[in-house]
């Protein structure tokens, strides 16, 4: 079935031309069909109904989930869904593709925060929906670029609505750990302000602080240890603490920061150099876990 018709009449003003988008009647009819059969939608064997679902899903992801998606067009589609029925709106907004990603996953990943706000403003957006890798839109936020104050406000709204302490099913990393491993001090600060648990550990026992020491980011280390609940002496499953990781490295400034926050001060366990080489290979100069939360959206 062809894509819906979009009418774009030009309304000229003194300064510029503006475009008003409308949803085509073909697409509107497909939405009405879905709205009348929501209860049976996922178990139906009716080919016509399945085709309607496919058409609506494909068009929704085309409109909402591209790097170049238009907020104005997304707003028109959301209003169309709402006018047909609130249950249809909720279904479409939260529908996931074959990778388990929703429009919110893609919008966060593309740093399309105007669209993120539109989705949140519907009041029906599942901000804690996990994709097949176990990542929620909240967990992808540290990887996005909030370039304006308005973007940052949307980020804070998303983090407030969602669970900032959920961990990914692959590796057990949290949003805070992702922010730390990618050197995003701005996002780390916001996450801590929004209630991120500074002491949560991934499957290997590594905390955000241990990861910050592995990548050698003194700014983030200072942010983490300044949190009143930060456990500086916690160790990973290999027995390494944040301090033991940096003592034999070139990160003397980090070691001084950690020692200033360690009570009582005492000698640190010796560090296995083989493990230190592993740490360097794991984090040195590259973003970690990029494949786990990689998003693909059909262009």
């Amino acid at each position: 079935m062809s894509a819906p018709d979009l009418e774009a009449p030009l309304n000229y003003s003194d300064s510029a031309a503006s475009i008003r988008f409308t949803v085509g009647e073909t697409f509107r009819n497909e939405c009405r069909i879905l709205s009348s059969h929501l209860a049976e939608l996922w178990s139906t064997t009716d080919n016509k109904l399945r085709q309607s679902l496919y058409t609506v899903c494909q068009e929704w992801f085309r409109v909402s989930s591209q790097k170049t998606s238009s907020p104005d067009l997304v707003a028109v589609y959301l209003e169309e869904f709402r006018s047909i029925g609130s249950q249809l709106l909720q279904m479409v907004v939260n529908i996931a593709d074959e990778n388990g990603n929703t429009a919110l996953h893609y919008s966060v990943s593309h740093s399309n925060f105007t669209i993120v706000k539109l989705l949140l403003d519907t009041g029906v957006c599942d901000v804690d929906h996990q994709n097949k890798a176990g990542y929620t839109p909240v967990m992808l936020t540290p990887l996005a670029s909030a370039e304006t104050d308005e973007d940052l406000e949307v980020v804070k709204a998303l983090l407030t609505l969602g669970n900032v302490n959920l961990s990914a099913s692959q590796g057990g990393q949290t949003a805070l750990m992702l922010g730390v491993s990618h050197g995003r001090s701005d996002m780390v600060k916001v996450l801590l302000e929004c209630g991120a648990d500074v002491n949560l550990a991934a499957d290997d026992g590594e905390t955000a602080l241990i990861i910050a020491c592995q990548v050698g980011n003194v700014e983030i280390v200072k942010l983490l240890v300044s949190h009143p609940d930060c456990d500086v002496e916690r160790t990973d499953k290999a027995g390494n603490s944040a301090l033991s990781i940096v003592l034999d490295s070139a990160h003397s400034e980090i070691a001084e920061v950690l020692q200033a926050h360690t009570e009582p001060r005492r000698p640190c366990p010796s560090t296995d150099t083989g493990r230190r080489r592993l740490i360097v290979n794991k984090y040195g100069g590259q973003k970690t876990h990029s494949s786990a939360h990689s998003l693909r959206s059909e262009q």
Side-chain angles (χ1 to χ4, degrees):
M1 187 171 295
S2 61
D5 299 326
L6 294 178
E7 301 171 3
L10 293 179
N11 300 313
Y12 289 95
S13 63
D14 292 339
S15 58
S18 61
I19 300 179
R20 180 174 61 86
F21 297 101
T22 60
V23 176
E25 190 62 29
T26 301
F27 183 75
R28 184 179 291 112
N29 288 335
E30 299 286 2
C31 290
R32 287 169 178 160
I33 292 172
L34 293 187
S35 183
S36 300
H37 298 85
L38 287 176
E40 58 190 280
L41 204 54
W42 306 110
S43 59
T44 186
T45 57
D46 186 315
N47 288 334
K48 184 177 180 180
L49 186 57
R50 292 171 66 89
Q51 180 61 35
S52 294
L53 177 61
Y54 176 81
T55 299
V56 171
C57 288
Q58 289 297 306
E59 179 62 9
W60 170 239
F61 281 114
R62 183 191 72 81
V63 167
S64 68
S65 303
Q66 313 302 316
K67 179 67 175 177
T68 57
S69 288
S70 163
D72 290 337
L73 183 56
V74 171
V76 168
Y77 272 66
L78 289 174
E79 183 55 39
E80 186 66 34
F81 299 143
R82 183 182 290 106
S83 68
I84 294 174
S86 59
Q87 289 184 320
L88 176 70
L89 173 67
Q90 183 172 2
M91 186 276 288
V92 175
V93 165
N94 294 307
I95 201 163
D97 66 6
E98 66 274 10
N99 297 312
N101 297 310
T102 65
L104 187 60
H105 281 89
Y106 286 116
S107 298
V108 171
S109 178
H110 295 319
S111 302
N112 287 336
F113 287 109
T114 303
I115 295 178
V116 172
K117 186 177 188 303
L118 288 171
L119 295 171
L120 296 181
D121 286 347
T122 64
V124 298
C125 204
D126 182 2
V127 299
D128 289 327
H129 177 83
Q130 292 181 294
N131 64 16
K132 289 187 177 179
Y135 288 87
T136 70
V138 168
M139 296 171 67
L140 298 178
T141 302
L143 310 182
S145 299
E147 298 178 350
T148 67
D149 291 341
E150 290 77 11
D151 289 347
L152 192 57
E153 288 304 311
V154 176
V155 168
K156 291 179 179 178
L158 175 59
L159 297 180
T160 300
L161 288 170
N163 185 347
V164 295
N165 292 315
L166 284 177
S167 58
S169 55
Q170 297 180 4
Q173 282 204 330
T174 64
L176 182 62
M177 296 174 199
L178 285 171
V180 170
S181 64
H182 286 73
R184 296 300 304 277
S185 59
D186 55 341
M187 290 297 186
V188 168
K189 182 178 180 180
V190 173
L191 281 162
L192 291 174
E193 291 173 352
C194 292
D197 188 333
V198 70
N199 294 316
L200 286 179
D203 292 349
D204 55 10
E206 292 178 354
T207 64
L209 180 60
I210 289 175
I211 295 172
C213 290
Q214 290 170 354
V215 299
N217 193 311
V218 64
E219 181 182 1
I220 290 181
V221 168
K222 288 179 178 179
L223 280 174
L224 295 173
V225 299
S226 65
H227 192 283
D229 296 329
C230 185
D231 184 356
V232 178
E233 299 183 23
R234 182 161 182 167
T235 60
D236 62 18
K237 289 186 176 180
N240 296 302
S241 67
L243 184 57
S244 70
I245 288 171
V246 299
L247 278 179
D248 293 335
S249 70
H251 305 307
S252 58
E253 184 179 359
I254 294 179
E256 292 175 1
V257 171
L258 294 175
Q259 287 172 331
H261 286 81
T262 301
E263 294 293 338
R265 296 184 184 181
R266 56 176 177 269
C268 188
S270 60
T271 306
D272 177 54
T273 56
R275 169 155 176 89
R276 190 165 309 288
R277 286 193 293 270
L278 175 62
I279 291 171
V280 171
N281 290 336
K282 182 176 180 182
Y283 290 106
Q286 296 185 8
K287 294 181 178 180
T288 61
H289 303 287
S290 58
S291 61
H293 48 71
S294 175
L295 301 179
R296 292 178 298 155
S297 183
E298 185 178 337
Q299 303 297 322

